């Protein structure tokens, strides 16, 4: 059989398809013969042709992997002998590689102790005096250990001693390479007993890497992964060596003679360290040296005659995206901004950045602008409050710089500022819009990459303008519509379509006059079928989705059914993940305006989305040998599925756990990741919008989405967890509309699965954005489902404890193992935001459970919130702390037992709130005033002794306060005191002062409190109200028909006016006569309405 087999394997290497097919059929036949194992062994050790030897080794590996139990004990023993002999004799590297992988799979079935000959071979070869033997021994050791790290644990200490010797074998770079890879593989499994040896190895590891870089930069780049692994798994090992590792990585990153990929790898190690251990970097005073080293990288000019990739003609992408050292440096600053306290970061950055921005060299200026741009996300509060106008001035000057490189960087910076520094940036509309519109005036002549950057800045800036966009609308829409009609270039059309979406987000119904021509153009693009139209079609679907959400229900609804049909037609005709993703967004948007148009298509739509979630498409396994072998094996599986040839994909699905090791890695195309993310988002929103119609699809959707909660990519996890929250809210909505026991049980069952999943994610998830997303989703579920969430008593405890853990920085994404919690006051803005999301849950829980049940947990949580109100904390922290206290008290107003709990808390909370009222920041004052008002309203008669003090605080403030929102909240706080305990308030003094500050100017929501109070006052002392008829009527007139005041409040106001008009006609008419004519008419209409 051996010769036949060798012949068949030879035919498989021929370049002729027919020959290969015939050989494959013969091979399948041969595999049914038990003698296949000895025959493969003979070929593997005896064939003259290295390719055939390698093929035989791969075949054996696949056989052993799937069918070890079917191989007879004799064959197993002889295989163990043959493979080691073959390995020792082999001279070809690629065959040695395959043989070592075969050994690795055998060790999986035969523990190392049951194969002493293997241990002996490893021991001899790795300690041999012959450098080649050492290389081969380390290759075998690497493969065997990478796939079986745990069974070798007893040998770790011995192995680490071996590694510390090998790492000094500087003349044998291949040995260094395999040694470092093996060290990387066992890091995750080492325990405290190996700690000392691991620590001792680090200095020689750095020296070994320096030697490996000289020998083979690609291998060195791969080997540097060891730092990432050490940081992620066992940071305490490297803590004593952090400074050395950083210095080494900076040397590599700064060395322009090395390859870009190696330099990027070195920089990314430091970036990863900053993400995990920013406090250590600060404590060791490494921030200054790191920035000193990376600024020259950030500002380096490209070689003469070349440009940076993002400045090339056709590139319009995000300049921080691609892989080169300059972007590595920018990403590092971006990561610093997200993970370090802004005060400390800016202390070092400002002098460096200023030097760049004042330089005459365009690449210095570009580096300075890039630095400002990447700081915007992580240090938004700091920049907004401390340096916005100077930073924007710099950007404006750079937008008109004579050098295009500088102008491009300025556009990118402006785009970033517009995205992250809202709402303050929008106030500079008058300065910035003319500059941006100037860029658009020369659309067709300009370089496409530059136009793309101008659109990026313009879109991000316009999107948040709201109605301030109105004066620019005619110019903007003329430019965009003309580009849709005339532009030769499809990319310009695509940019214009995208910009229309941004304009719609700001303009909303102001866009109605332009809606027909826009829709005509979009429909035209969406019915085309040619390949080059694809990006334009995707963008058209995205913009259509924005229009559905913004233009107004009445305008869009007539088009809803047609839009869904357009989407379905496209995905039927074209198989493209990006296109499908954009249709999901469209369906989701349409469901919010016209859910019934989706109902007939829910089967089709959910089927496509479920397939997207199930699909392994776009996941490529990097198999280390020829792919064909995968297709051959295993058609004789026990399930008798031999009639269908296995594809590589079903091979992957078969054994996800086993493939990971023998496959060099997985890569997933971004388009498929984005599709999964958007499918989760859309399923959640559609379930919520369509309610009962979605019921038949809820369970299957839930299962598919739940599977995604541990997907490797964080954006997919975040979207999946968000969708689970939407499913709970959807089921709650179904139950409230139809209160059957079945619907109720379904809701409770969902909550019992989803809430523990949320709590566990907050504790264990490493990525901060995922945790923020889950906290926000959990808050949404508590807000919608209220007491239903807490029907299961364990949920109250679990949720309260996990919120406490976040506030104490005890979760995985906050670096819970860290030993550096001494720097309480200063933290990164994103860390503070994470705590804010957790804190926002406290008032929501307060509003959902009887106060006495929540009180013990609230007692634990309040000190953590109050500690952020200290004057040394940031404005954002103080505002959050006092705002949360206010919302908790507001929630206690309505829950059972709230009054008693509020009264018990008043002694702790009053001093904090009264101090907050004197704060220098208006938002902090505003939140404190709101909190005091809510305390009075919640505790009522039980805090009557504090009323005089509170009234004097408020009256002092009213005389001095200049911020309109704070004045509105002072009026509301006085009203809350009156509503709660009228007898304790000297109405004759307080009410006239209060009424003189009406109507409310900024905080229209508080009209509800004010007019509930005036209605009560009228019942209690009508004389007082009639005396103040003129200002009360004027204020009422302001509220009636106001677009930001809810219907309920408006009807309270109208009822009060009707009563005043009926019972005090003369006074009412006199008061009304002072109003302008159109307001008189509005008032008369309201009073006479039925």
């Amino acid at each position: 059989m051996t010769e036949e087999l060798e012949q068949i394997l030879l035919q498989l290497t021929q370049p002729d398809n027919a020959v290969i097919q015939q050989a494959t059929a013969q091979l399948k036949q041969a595999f049914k013969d038990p003698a296949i194992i000895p025959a493969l062994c003979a070929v593997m050790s005896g064939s003259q042709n290295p390719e055939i030897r390698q093929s035989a080794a791969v075949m054996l590996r696949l056989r052993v992997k799937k069918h070890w139990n079917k191989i007879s004990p004799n064959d197993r023993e002889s295989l163990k002998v043959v493979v080691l002999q073959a390995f020792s004799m082999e001279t070809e590297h690629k065959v040695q590689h395959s043989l070592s992988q075969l050994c690795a799979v055998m060790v999986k079935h035969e523990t190392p102790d049951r194969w002493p000959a293997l241990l002996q071979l490893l021991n001899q070869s790795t300690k041999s005096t012959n450098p080649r033997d050492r290389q081969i021994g380390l290759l075998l050791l690497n493969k065997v250990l990478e796939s079986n790290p745990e069974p070798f644990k007893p040998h770790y200490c011995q192995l680490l001693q071996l590694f510390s010797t090998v790492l000094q074998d500087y003349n044998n770079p291949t040995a260094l390479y395999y040694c470092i890879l093996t060290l990387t593989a066992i890091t995750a499994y080492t325990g405290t007993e190996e700690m000392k040896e691991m620590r001792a190895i680090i200095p020689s590891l750095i020296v070994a890497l320096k030697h490996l870089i000289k020998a083979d930069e690609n291998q060195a780049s791969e080997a540097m992964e060891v730092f990432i692994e050490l940081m992620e798994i066992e940071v305490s090992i490297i803590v004593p060596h952090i400074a050395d590792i950083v210095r080494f990585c900076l040397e590599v990153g700064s060395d322009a003679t090395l390859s870009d990929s190696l330099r990027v790898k070195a920089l990314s190690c430091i970036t990863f360290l900053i993400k995990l251990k920013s406090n250590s970097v600060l404590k060791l005073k490494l921030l200054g040296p790191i920035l000193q080293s990376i600024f020259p990288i950030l500002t380096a000019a490209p070689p003469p005659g070349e440009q940076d990739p993002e400045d090339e003609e056709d590139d319009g992408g995000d300049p921080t995206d691609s892989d080169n050292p300059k972007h590595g440096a920018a990403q590092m600053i971006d990561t610093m901004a997200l993970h370090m306290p802004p005060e400390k970061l800016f202390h070092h950055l400002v002098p460096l950045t200023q030097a760049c921005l004042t330089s005459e060299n365009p690449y210095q200026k570009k580096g300075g602008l890039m630095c400002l741009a990447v700081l915007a996300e992580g240090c938004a509060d700091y920049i907004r409050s401390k340096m916005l106008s100077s930073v924007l001035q710099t950007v404006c000057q750079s937008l008109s710089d004579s050098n295009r490189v500088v102008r491009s960087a300025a556009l990118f910076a402006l785009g970033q500022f517009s995205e992250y520094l809202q709402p303050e940036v929008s106030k500079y509309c008058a300065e910035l819009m003319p500059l941006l519109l100037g860029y658009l005036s020369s659309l067709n002549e300009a370089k496409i990459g530059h136009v793309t950057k101008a659109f990026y800045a313009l879109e991000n800036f316009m999107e948040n303008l709201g109605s301030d966009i109105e004066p620019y609308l005619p110019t903007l829409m003329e430019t965009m519509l003309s580009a849709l009609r005339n532009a030769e270039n499809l990319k310009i059309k695509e940019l214009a379509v995208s910009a229309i979406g941004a304009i719609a987000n700001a303009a909303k119904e102001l866009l109605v006059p332009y809606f027909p021509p826009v829709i005509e153009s979009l429909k035209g693009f969406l019915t085309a079928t040619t390949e080059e139209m694809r990006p334009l079609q995707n963008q058209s679907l995205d913009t259509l989705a924005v229009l559905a959400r913004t233009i107004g229900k009445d305008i869009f609804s007539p088009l809803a059914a047609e839009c869904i049909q357009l989407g379905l037609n496209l995905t039927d005709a074209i198989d493209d993940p990006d296109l499908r993703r954009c249709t999901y967004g469209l369906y989701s948007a349409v469901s919010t305006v016209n859910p019934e148009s989706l109902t007939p298509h829910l089967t089709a739509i959910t089927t496509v989305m479920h397939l997207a979630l199930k699909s392994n498409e776009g996941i490529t396994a990097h198999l280390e040998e020829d792919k064909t072998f995968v297709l051959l094996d295993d058609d004789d599986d026990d399930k008798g599925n031999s009639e269908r040839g296995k594809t590589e994909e079903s091979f992957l699905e078969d054994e996800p756990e086993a493939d990971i090791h023998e496959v060099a890695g997985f890569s997933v195309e971004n388009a498929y990741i984005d599709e999964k993310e958007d499918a989760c988002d859309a399923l959640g929103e559609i379930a919520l919008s369509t309610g009962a119609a979605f019921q038949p699809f809820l369970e299957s959707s839930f299962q598919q989405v739940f599977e995604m909660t541990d997907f490797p990519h964080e954006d997919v996890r975040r979207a999946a967890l968000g969708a689970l929250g939407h499913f709970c809210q959807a089921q709650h909505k179904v139950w409230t509309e139809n209160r059957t026991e079945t619907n109720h049980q379904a809701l409770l069952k969902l909550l019992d699965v989803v809430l523990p999943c949320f709590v566990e994610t907050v504790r264990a998830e490493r990525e901060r954005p995922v945790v923020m997303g889950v906290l926000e989703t959990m808050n949404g579920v508590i807000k919608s489902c209220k007491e239903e969430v807490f029907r299961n008593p364990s949920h109250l405890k679990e949720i309260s404890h996990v919120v406490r853990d976040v506030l104490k920085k005890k979760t995985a994404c906050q670096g819970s193992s860290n030993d550096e919690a001494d720097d309480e006051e200063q933290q990164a803005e994103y860390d503070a935001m994470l705590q804010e999301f957790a804190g926002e849950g406290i008032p929501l829980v307060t509003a959902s459970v009887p106060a006495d049940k929540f009180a013990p947990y609230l007692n634990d949580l309040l000190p953590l919130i109050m500690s952020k109100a200290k004057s040394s904390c940031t404005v954002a922290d103080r505002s959050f702390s006092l705002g949360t206290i206010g919302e908790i008290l507001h929630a206690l107003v309505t829950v059972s037992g709230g009054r008693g709990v509020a009264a018990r808390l008043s002694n702790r909370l009053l001093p904090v709130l009264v101090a907050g009222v004197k704060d220098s920041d208006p938002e902090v004052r505003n939140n404190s005033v709101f909190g005091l008002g809510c305390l009075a309203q919640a505790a009522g008669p039980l805090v009557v002794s504090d009323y005089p003090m509170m009234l004097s605080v408020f009256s002092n403030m009213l005389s001095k306060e200049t911020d309109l929102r704070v004045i509105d909240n002072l009026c509301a706080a006085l009203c809350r005191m009156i509503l709660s305990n009228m007898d304790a308030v000297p109405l004759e003094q307080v009410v006239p002062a209060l009424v003189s500050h009406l109507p409310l100017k900024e905080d229209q929501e508080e009209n509800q409190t004010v007019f509930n109070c005036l209605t009560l006052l009228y019942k209690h002392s009508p004389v007082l109200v009639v005396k103040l008829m003129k200002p009360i009527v004027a204020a009422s007139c302001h509220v009636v028909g106001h677009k930001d005041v809810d219907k309920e409040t408006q009807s309270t106001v109208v009822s009060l006016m009707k009563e005043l008009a009926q019972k005090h006609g003369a006074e009412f008419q006199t008061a009304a006569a002072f109003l302008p004519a159109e307001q008189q008419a509005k008032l008369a209409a309201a009073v006479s309405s039925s």
Side-chain angles (χ1 to χ4, degrees):
M1 184 173 184
T2 310
E3 284 161 24
E4 284 170 54
L5 192 58
E6 182 154 359
Q7 201 44 50
I8 295 172
L9 292 177
L10 186 61
Q11 287 173 339
L12 281 174
T13 61
Q14 303 303 312
D16 180 341
N17 248 345
V19 175
I20 291 177
Q21 279 177 341
Q22 188 190 350
T24 308
Q26 290 173 308
L27 196 62
K28 283 181 183 167
Q29 215 37 51
F31 263 91
K32 294 185 175 151
D33 184 340
I36 186 80
I37 299 289
L40 282 169
C41 285
V43 174
M44 175 176 79
S45 47
S47 170
Q48 295 304 302
N49 180 335
E51 285 204 13
I52 302 288
R53 294 200 299 279
Q54 186 188 12
S55 298
V58 175
M59 296 281 165
L60 274 168
R61 189 186 83 219
L62 292 169
R63 199 71 193 159
V64 165
K65 186 180 138 197
K66 298 262 178 89
H67 299 292
W68 181 249
N69 299 333
K70 293 184 188 168
I71 298 173
S72 71
N74 287 345
D75 282 350
R76 286 185 203 173
E77 288 310 313
S78 65
L79 180 57
K80 278 161 49 176
V81 176
V82 172
V83 67
L84 295 182
Q85 276 172 351
F87 187 78
S88 308
M89 309 287 292
E90 185 54 66
T91 52
E92 290 281 338
H93 186 283
K94 63 178 183 183
V95 186
Q96 289 163 342
H97 202 267
S98 293
L99 286 164
S100 61
Q101 286 187 309
L102 170 56
C103 290
V105 173
M106 287 164 67
V107 174
K108 257 198 172 22
H109 298 287
E110 291 287 89
T111 54
D113 311 331
R114 299 223 314 259
W115 194 358
L118 172 70
L119 291 176
Q120 201 181 340
L121 174 67
L122 286 170
N123 214 359
Q124 279 168 357
S125 56
T126 52
K127 297 193 172 122
S128 159
T129 49
N130 175 344
R132 210 181 143 282
D133 288 352
R134 293 201 298 278
Q135 276 184 25
I136 300 306
L138 285 158
L139 162 68
L140 180 58
L141 181 66
N142 174 247
K143 292 298 163 207
V144 167
L145 263 165
E146 269 184 353
S147 54
N148 309 279
E150 288 215 65
F152 281 88
K153 271 185 109 149
H155 306 279
Y156 278 7
C157 284
Q158 204 183 332
L159 279 170
L160 287 166
Q161 283 158 6
L162 167 72
F163 294 160
S164 66
T165 317
V166 175
L167 285 173
Q168 289 165 30
D169 192 354
Y170 303 136
N171 299 324
N172 194 343
T174 309
L176 294 178
Y177 169 66
Y178 282 120
C179 173
I180 298 173
L181 289 195
T182 313
L183 180 62
T184 312
I186 68 168
T187 298
Y189 299 88
T190 50
T192 39
E193 53 281 17
E194 292 91 14
M195 202 68 107
K196 202 165 139 225
E197 272 100 342
M198 289 284 272
R199 267 204 195 118
I201 267 182
I202 305 281
S204 31
L205 180 63
I206 295 176
V207 181
L209 279 163
K210 287 181 180 172
H211 284 273
L212 188 52
I213 287 172
K214 292 186 189 127
D216 185 329
E217 292 188 18
N218 288 337
Q219 286 190 343
S221 177
E222 195 186 335
M224 282 182 83
E225 192 65 34
V226 69
F227 290 138
I228 303 260
E229 190 73 10
L230 285 165
M231 289 173 203
E232 193 159 31
I233 305 295
E234 205 34 273
V235 106
S236 51
I237 293 173
I238 62 160
V239 167
H241 305 288
I242 281 180
D244 297 331
I245 292 175
V246 166
R247 249 180 252 123
F248 164 64
C249 290
L250 286 173
E251 270 169 41
V252 177
S254 305
D255 185 345
T257 63
L258 299 173
S259 70
D260 272 4
S261 62
L262 179 60
R263 295 176 63 197
V264 168
K265 183 67 165 191
L267 294 172
S268 71
C269 288
I270 302 178
T271 302
F272 195 74
L273 177 69
I274 291 167
K275 183 176 166 183
L276 282 188
K277 278 299 212 195
S278 56
N279 277 351
S280 300
V281 174
L282 291 168
K283 275 201 178 134
L284 293 165
K285 303 208 168 8
L286 292 171
L287 180 57
I290 291 175
L291 289 170
Q292 293 289 349
S293 295
I294 67 169
F295 254 75
I297 304 175
L298 190 66
T299 56
E306 288 183 35
Q307 287 190 316
D308 284 338
E310 68 276 7
D311 292 323
E312 285 166 7
E313 296 305 330
D314 54 352
D315 184 88
D318 173 347
T320 54
D321 261 355
S322 61
D323 240 6
N324 65 40
K326 192 170 277 198
H327 299 158
Q331 268 165 347
M332 196 184 300
I333 295 174
D334 193 346
T335 305
M336 289 172 174
L338 289 166
H339 292 273
M340 288 180 169
E343 301 74 14
K344 295 189 171 169
L345 182 55
F346 277 80
H347 170 71
H348 290 279
L349 266 180
V350 169
L352 291 165
T353 314
Q354 272 174 341
C356 290
L357 293 168
T358 49
S359 158
E360 286 306 303
N361 175 332
Y363 285 96
Q364 290 280 335
K365 280 188 189 164
K366 173 184 173 172
L369 288 162
M370 291 289 287
C371 178
L372 290 176
V374 296
L375 289 168
E377 182 182 6
C379 300
D381 280 345
Y382 189 87
I383 296 174
R384 280 202 305 246
S385 57
K386 298 223 173 14
M387 50 201 300
L388 187 61
S389 67
S390 64
V391 164
L392 278 174
Q393 209 175 344
T394 305
V395 170
C396 284
Q397 284 164 352
S398 309
L399 282 172
S400 33
D401 194 277
S402 58
N403 189 304
R404 206 179 91 208
V405 166
V406 177
R407 294 199 302 276
S408 276
L411 285 168
F412 175 64
L414 180 57
Q416 290 280 101
F417 292 172
S418 305
E419 194 165 338
Y420 297 113
L421 306 181
Q422 292 297 346
E424 288 80 353
V425 162
S426 296
K427 296 182 181 143
Y428 293 83
C429 189
E431 293 84 347
L432 289 164
M433 273 310 271
L435 285 169
L436 288 167
L437 289 170
Y439 271 96
L440 293 189
S441 56
S442 53
L443 257 191
N444 290 326
E445 299 85 88
K447 301 278 183 269
I448 199 75
H450 204 54
V451 172
T452 305
K453 292 185 183 72
F455 266 97
Y456 167 74
L458 179 72
E459 277 194 32
N460 280 357
F461 188 69
M462 292 187 307
E463 192 140 31
N464 296 291
L465 284 179
S467 54
D468 292 344
I469 200 170
E470 193 164 2
Y472 307 102
L473 255 187
T475 316
L476 281 169
M477 287 310 293
E478 222 165 283
T479 310
M480 300 308 158
L481 287 167
S482 130
L484 294 190
R485 286 192 297 267
N486 310 326
E488 298 292 300
N489 186 313
L490 286 178
K491 180 69 186 171
I492 293 210
K493 288 191 177 185
E494 185 191 330
L495 292 168
V497 169
S498 176
I500 291 171
I503 294 168
N505 269 324
K508 305 213 164 26
E509 57 281 356
L510 294 171
L511 204 63
V512 169
Y514 305 97
F515 187 63
V518 168
I519 285 293
E520 278 319 296
S521 288
L522 295 184
K523 279 190 197 168
F525 301 151
L526 289 173
T527 45
T529 50
T530 53
E531 181 71 33
E532 68 271 13
M533 289 292 281
R534 199 68 43 78
L536 176 55
Q537 289 180 322
N538 295 349
Q539 191 51 66
S540 301
L541 288 165
D542 281 348
T543 292
L544 204 48
V546 175
L547 290 168
R549 291 179 193 274
T550 53
I551 199 92
K553 193 172 177 165
D554 301 341
I555 304 285
F556 199 85
S557 284
L559 286 167
E562 188 181 352
C563 284
I564 290 163
Q565 204 49 62
L566 271 173
L568 290 167
N569 294 349
L570 277 168
T571 47
D572 280 347
I574 301 164
D575 176 14
D576 175 354
D578 273 322
L579 181 83
R580 286 194 296 271
R581 178 179 71 73
C582 297
T583 63
Y584 306 158
L586 176 61
Y587 303 148
S588 198
V590 172
S591 78
T592 61
V593 254
N594 191 312
E596 43 291 350
S597 62
L598 242 75
T599 310
H601 303 289
L602 281 174
T603 307
I605 288 171
T606 52
T607 306
V608 179
M609 294 191 203
H610 292 176
L611 283 172
L613 294 179
K614 274 190 200 137
S615 153
N616 277 340
E617 213 176 343
I619 300 180
T620 320
H622 308 306
L623 293 165
E624 304 201 354
E625 291 102 359
D626 193 326
K627 308 272 196 296
T628 28
F629 300 132
V630 177
L631 312 181
L632 296 173
D633 178 45
D634 205 35
D635 282 357
D636 56 346
D637 211 340
D638 301 336
K639 302 188 199 71
N641 58 359
S642 50
E643 69 282 357
R644 58 184 190 93
K646 289 215 154 185
T647 60
E648 180 180 348
E649 213 161 87
S650 62
F651 161 74
L652 276 175
E653 283 175 321
D654 260 4
E655 295 200 14
E657 44 326 281
D659 300 320
I660 300 298
H661 285 302
E662 72 179 83
V663 160
F666 282 102
S667 65
V668 183
E669 284 175 55
N670 282 348
Y672 292 95
I673 292 177
D674 294 344
E675 186 190 2
K676 286 181 190 313
E677 180 189 349
D678 288 7
C680 289
D681 284 339
L683 282 167
E685 188 168 31
I686 291 170
L688 193 52
S689 304
T690 53
F694 197 81
Q695 285 284 287
F697 311 98
L698 188 62
E699 193 167 334
S700 54
S701 298
F702 181 86
Q703 282 166 348
Q704 290 305 326
V705 169
F706 196 79
E707 297 274 299
M708 293 288 113
T709 55
D710 54 4
F711 192 78
H713 202 281
E714 62 177 278
D715 292 342
V716 177
R717 294 200 297 281
R718 192 185 45 71
L721 290 153
L724 294 183
H726 273 135
F727 292 151
C728 294
Q729 290 167 294
Q731 185 59 40
H732 181 263
K733 181 176 148 186
V734 167
W735 172 64
T736 30
E737 289 165 4
N738 179 14
R739 287 182 179 262
T740 66
E741 187 53 26
T742 318
N743 283 342
H744 194 208
Q745 285 310 316
L747 170 63
L748 298 179
K749 191 172 141 195
L750 263 183
L751 290 167
D752 277 346
V753 177
V754 171
L755 285 164
C757 170
F758 285 171
V759 167
E760 181 49 32
T761 303
V762 173
R763 285 223 163 85
E765 167 67 58
R766 299 284 285 269
E767 295 301 332
R768 213 171 37 188
V770 180
V771 177
M772 286 182 177
V774 170
L775 287 167
E776 192 176 13
T777 301
M778 185 158 78
N779 290 346
V781 171
I782 297 170
K783 193 173 179 176
S784 301
C785 308
K786 293 208 166 54
E787 64 276 7
E788 297 310 316
V789 170
F790 303 102
R791 288 263 181 252
N792 177 339
S794 69
H795 292 169
L796 180 61
K797 179 179 164 191
E798 285 298 319
I799 291 171
S800 304
H801 284 170
V802 85
V803 167
R804 180 194 65 195
D805 290 348
V806 176
L807 293 173
K808 286 184 161 180
K809 299 190 190 169
K810 288 254 169 75
T811 68
C813 76
Q814 295 166 298
S816 58
S817 58
N818 70 13
D819 30 27
E820 322 137 347
D822 52 357
D823 201 357
E824 259 314 288
E825 299 299 305
Q826 290 189 330
Q827 59 176 354
E829 287 182 11
Y830 260 67
D831 288 322
M833 267 167 68
L834 177 71
Q835 295 186 306
E836 285 179 26
F837 278 117
E840 281 165 16
I842 302 173
L844 296 168
V845 179
T846 310
S848 308
V849 252
D852 295 322
K853 250 190 181 167
F854 187 45
Y857 301 107
L858 192 55
N859 280 333
D860 269 358
L861 293 167
L862 268 177
L864 301 169
I865 297 289
M866 286 159 64
S867 69
K868 294 180 180 292
K870 296 192 290 248
S871 57
S872 57
C873 293
T874 62
V875 170
D877 273 350
R878 302 199 302 273
S879 172
F880 158 67
S881 171
L882 290 151
T884 307
I885 291 169
E887 292 293 347
I888 291 169
L889 291 165
H890 187 243
L892 287 172
V893 172
T894 48
V895 292
S896 76
R899 180 157 278 188
V901 170
R904 288 202 294 280
L905 293 174
S906 65
N907 288 343
R908 284 159 77 186
L909 295 180
L910 260 175
V912 181
L913 291 165
V914 171
V917 162
K918 305 187 179 85
D919 199 278
S920 58
D921 182 83
E923 193 177 309
V924 178
R925 293 199 298 280
N926 187 51
N927 292 349
S928 307
V929 168
F930 173 72
L932 277 173
C934 291
L935 177 61
Q937 191 178 0
L942 304 177
V943 287
V944 73
S945 57
D946 297 308
Y947 263 47
M949 178 272 290
M950 289 160 87
L951 286 166
S952 93
V953 166
F954 288 157
S955 110
N956 278 338
M957 273 189 89
L958 260 181
S959 59
K960 300 192 192 112
E961 185 58 65
T962 53
D963 186 277
L964 297 176
R965 183 170 283 269
V966 180
I967 294 170
D968 288 352
N969 270 279
L970 279 164
C971 296
L974 289 166
C975 289
R976 290 179 201 281
M977 292 179 77
I978 296 168
L979 283 165
S980 180
N981 196 357
M982 194 180 287
D983 300 338
V985 179
L987 297 177
E988 296 291 338
Q989 288 120 303
V990 170
V991 178
L994 158 74
V995 169
S996 70
H997 287 91
L998 298 181
L1000 301 182
K1001 316 292 185 296
E1002 296 260 325
D1003 194 344
Q1004 299 303 330
E1005 272 182 43
E1006 288 295 7
N1007 277 305
Q1008 188 177 10
T1009 312
V1010 170
F1011 281 93
N1012 285 346
C1013 174
L1014 292 173
T1015 305
L1016 183 75
L1017 277 170
Y1018 177 66
K1019 286 199 180 80
H1020 178 273
S1021 58
V1023 181
L1024 181 59
V1025 171
V1026 172
K1027 222 191 303 182
L1028 297 165
M1029 181 80 82
K1030 186 178 152 193
I1032 290 175
V1033 167
S1036 305
C1037 207
H1038 179 79
V1039 173
V1040 173
H1042 193 297
K1043 67 175 174 36
D1044 296 331
V1045 178
D1046 63 275
K1047 295 278 181 283
E1048 192 186 337
T1049 304
Q1050 300 212 20
S1051 70
T1052 305
V1053 175
V1054 170
S1055 304
L1056 179 63
M1057 289 303 99
K1058 282 182 175 172
E1059 196 150 351
L1060 293 174
Q1062 277 166 4
K1063 296 191 178 155
H1064 312 277
E1067 294 92 332
F1068 183 78
Q1069 289 309 327
T1070 312
F1074 284 97
L1075 297 170
E1078 68 182 278
Q1079 294 209 350
Q1080 285 190 32
K1082 185 165 81 169
L1083 187 64
V1087 171
S1088 59
S1089 65
S1090 53

